[in-house]
Amino acid sequence: MSIVLLSIVFFVMTSIFTGCMRHYALKKNIIDNPNERSSHTVPTPRGGGVAVVCSYLLGLALLIYTQQLTFHIGLTLILSGFVIALLGFLDDHGHINALLRLAIHFLVAIAVVISLGGFTNVSVFNGFELGFIANIIAVLFLVWLLNLYNFMDGINGIASIEAISTTISMAIIYSLLNVSANVDIIWLLSACVLGFLLWNFPRAKIFMGDACSGFLGLILGILALVALKENIALFCGWIICLGVFIVDATYTLIKRVLNGYKMYDAHRSHTYQIISRKCGSHTPVTLMVLIINLLWLLPIAYITVKLNFSYPELAVLIAYLPLIWIAVKFKAGNSDA
């Protein structure tokens, strides 16, 4: 089946399913009430991202059936994604101990790294062999990405826009540079998230919820690690395109720990939260993320992959420097005032 037709079908399916999830959330009183970490002021149904999860997993299964996706990669995405989504779904409907949740995250990440065959052959900085430590870094990368995606899902549309713009950017790079591996599943993910975005932006009628935010972080992380199997430059392309979320979440966490806050304390001191309060609206901030991703990060990622630099890691630094400057300028990680 044409990936264009498939994407349209799953875009429509996800949008319809999200509407059904909103009806379910209202009926079951699954409401996100504003708290000290919230950037919204109105109680809003949550859990709509389940539509993205179900649609995408179904799409992966269909791609495996039609032999447009290798069984091994498809099964890894489906099983790991299902576990993380189920964990988030249960947490949305109740409360799961934070340590238990983190332990499951690590177990899933370890299973993914093993399933992908490990990364002991990976070298960085033009020949420096990481050996077994690369596997440890890969596990930490997956755990951090799925958690930071949850942290960054705080204003209307931002998590969806980040996923859509990142996947579209990488799909463009894959297509232009004839990197055929896994491009269909990248387009499919973008289509599914776009179907949800219609309900979440510019005014949120339903929130994504932990079931989907962690799922998206994990899936994007796996796609990046699959790219690492190709070459380090392609992996750096993913890291560059995910720069807004990676820089904001990482800088904020480090700054808060240095300021004496506990890692798990609720807060509203991410860069995007601070800017949204200054703007008095979520919309300009979400659109700003889209502009940065397409006009700054995408070109750098494309050049990095196309030229296959000896030191693609330096391109990541170049891409991140303005993002770090923005976080510093707006005092991310300080008090919520």
Side-chain angles (χ1 to χ4, degrees):
M1 181 183 295
S2 164
I3 189 58
V4 175
L5 177 59
L6 191 67
S7 295
I8 293 173
V9 169
F10 276 85
F11 160 73
V12 174
M13 179 190 302
T14 306
S15 183
I16 294 173
F17 192 16
T18 302
C20 295
M21 287 303 302
R22 183 175 187 273
H23 177 76
Y24 170 79
L26 289 171
K27 184 177 180 180
K28 297 294 184 179
N29 196 34
I30 304 173
I31 305 296
D32 196 330
N33 293 302
N35 57 37
E36 64 273 20
R37 185 189 154 192
S38 302
S39 294
H40 65 283
T41 57
V42 179
T44 305
R46 69 175 185 270
V50 169
V52 176
V53 174
C54 294
S55 296
Y56 188 62
L57 294 182
L58 178 60
L60 290 176
L62 182 59
L63 289 175
I64 293 173
Y65 178 76
T66 57
Q67 298 183 342
Q68 293 172 261
L69 174 63
T70 60
F71 180 79
H72 177 68
I73 297 296
L75 189 63
T76 299
L77 288 165
I78 290 172
L79 292 181
S80 61
F82 175 77
V83 172
I84 293 301
L86 178 61
L87 184 66
F89 180 81
L90 294 175
D91 203 32
D92 279 337
H93 285 69
H95 178 70
I96 297 177
N97 180 272
L99 288 178
L100 174 60
R101 189 168 64 245
L102 186 61
I104 295 174
H105 289 171
F106 270 101
L107 289 174
V108 170
I110 291 170
V112 167
V113 170
I114 293 173
S115 175
L116 294 179
F119 298 90
T120 54
N121 294 327
V122 169
S123 62
V124 295
F125 298 108
N126 198 26
F128 181 75
E129 297 283 347
L130 291 175
F132 183 78
I133 196 172
N135 293 326
I136 298 175
I137 294 172
V139 170
L140 294 174
F141 168 72
L142 285 177
V143 172
W144 177 228
L145 196 59
L146 74 88
N147 278 281
L148 76 80
Y149 223 91
N150 185 23
F151 300 155
M152 294 293 291
D153 179 27
I155 62 174
N156 298 345
I158 192 169
S160 299
I161 287 294
E162 178 73 359
I164 293 167
S165 56
T166 295
T167 49
I168 287 178
S169 294
M170 290 308 300
I172 290 172
I173 290 172
Y174 277 45
S175 299
L176 291 179
L177 301 181
N178 296 317
V179 182
S180 58
N182 307 305
V183 69
D184 286 356
I185 60 178
I186 298 174
W187 283 119
L188 181 64
L189 181 59
S190 181
C192 290
V193 180
L194 184 60
F196 168 77
L197 181 66
L198 298 181
W199 293 87
N200 187 242
F201 184 79
R203 184 179 175 213
K205 299 178 180 66
I206 188 168
F207 291 151
M208 182 177 284
D210 290 352
C212 186
S213 59
F215 173 84
L216 286 178
L218 178 73
I219 296 299
L220 291 170
I222 293 174
L223 293 175
L225 289 180
V226 171
L228 183 57
K229 287 288 186 179
E230 295 285 330
N231 61 70
I232 187 68
L234 194 60
F235 174 75
C236 286
W238 280 97
I239 300 304
I240 290 169
C241 289
L242 286 165
V244 170
F245 270 31
I246 291 175
V247 170
D248 194 354
T250 304
Y251 179 88
T252 301
L253 178 65
I254 292 173
K255 189 67 179 292
R256 283 183 62 79
V257 170
L258 292 177
N259 285 341
Y261 295 100
K262 294 178 181 178
M263 293 178 62
Y264 49 81
D265 282 346
H267 66 92
R268 296 192 304 161
S269 60
H270 286 286
T271 308
Y272 77 91
Q273 292 172 319
I274 296 170
I275 297 176
S276 68
R277 290 199 297 275
K278 290 182 179 295
C279 291
S281 171
H282 296 183
T283 303
V285 182
T286 300
L287 293 177
M288 191 185 310
V289 170
L290 177 63
I291 292 170
I292 291 172
N293 285 351
L294 296 182
L295 299 186
W296 173 247
L297 298 178
L298 170 57
I300 296 177
Y302 173 77
I303 292 171
T304 301
V305 178
K306 179 177 175 58
L307 299 183
N308 196 17
F309 295 126
S310 298
Y311 297 93
E313 301 86 357
L314 295 180
V316 177
L317 178 61
I318 292 170
Y320 281 12
L321 282 176
L323 305 179
I324 296 171
W325 178 80
I326 293 172
V328 172
K329 176 179 174 60
F330 286 96
K331 300 179 180 179
N334 290 343
S335 67
D336 296 341

